[in-house]
Amino acid sequence: MKSISLFALLLFTACSSKDEQFCQCLNAGEELNRYTQQFFDRTPSDYEEDRVKELKGVKSDACKDYQMMSGKIMRQKKVECEN
């Protein structure tokens, strides 16, 4: 009986654990969005353009494994990151 409850606990833990890399992908995208919002009203400086390129690179690296993921799975993972 102990082995069944231990197995159930391990299974629950494995199913509910969040994908840290996906959470980093979300955070990188949010940081890029926040930074680029200021350029709706003005043109970025050279330094700011370089920063945008840097943030895009960070986001690209963090999100490379999620390019072909379905929207449904992405939404589930996003909820897990928020908890």
Side-chain angles (χ1 to χ4, degrees):
M1 188 66 173
K2 276 186 172 180
S3 63
I4 292 174
S5 61
L6 179 60
F7 176 74
L9 178 63
L10 290 173
L11 182 63
F12 176 74
T13 304
C15 293
S16 66
S17 64
K18 65 182 173 182
D19 183 339
E20 291 296 333
Q21 184 179 351
F22 184 79
C23 297
Q24 290 175 359
C25 170
L26 284 179
N27 290 336
E30 290 172 4
E31 184 177 0
L32 176 61
N33 289 341
R34 279 191 303 270
Y35 190 77
T36 57
Q37 282 179 348
Q38 63 184 313
F39 306 125
F40 288 127
D41 299 331
R42 64 179 182 82
T43 304
S45 68
D46 290 342
Y47 169 79
E48 291 167 329
E49 284 184 18
D50 290 342
R51 179 72 176 139
V52 169
K53 289 177 186 175
E54 178 184 334
L55 291 172
K56 283 182 180 180
V58 170
K59 180 183 178 233
S60 179
D61 288 345
C63 298
K64 66 183 173 198
D65 295 337
Y66 305 102
Q67 297 292 325
M68 303 302 289
M69 185 178 287
S70 75
K72 180 179 180 181
I73 295 172
M74 282 188 175
R75 285 187 295 277
Q76 290 171 343
K77 288 183 172 286
K78 182 178 180 184
V79 168
E80 291 170 2
C81 290
E82 292 170 349
N83 293 332

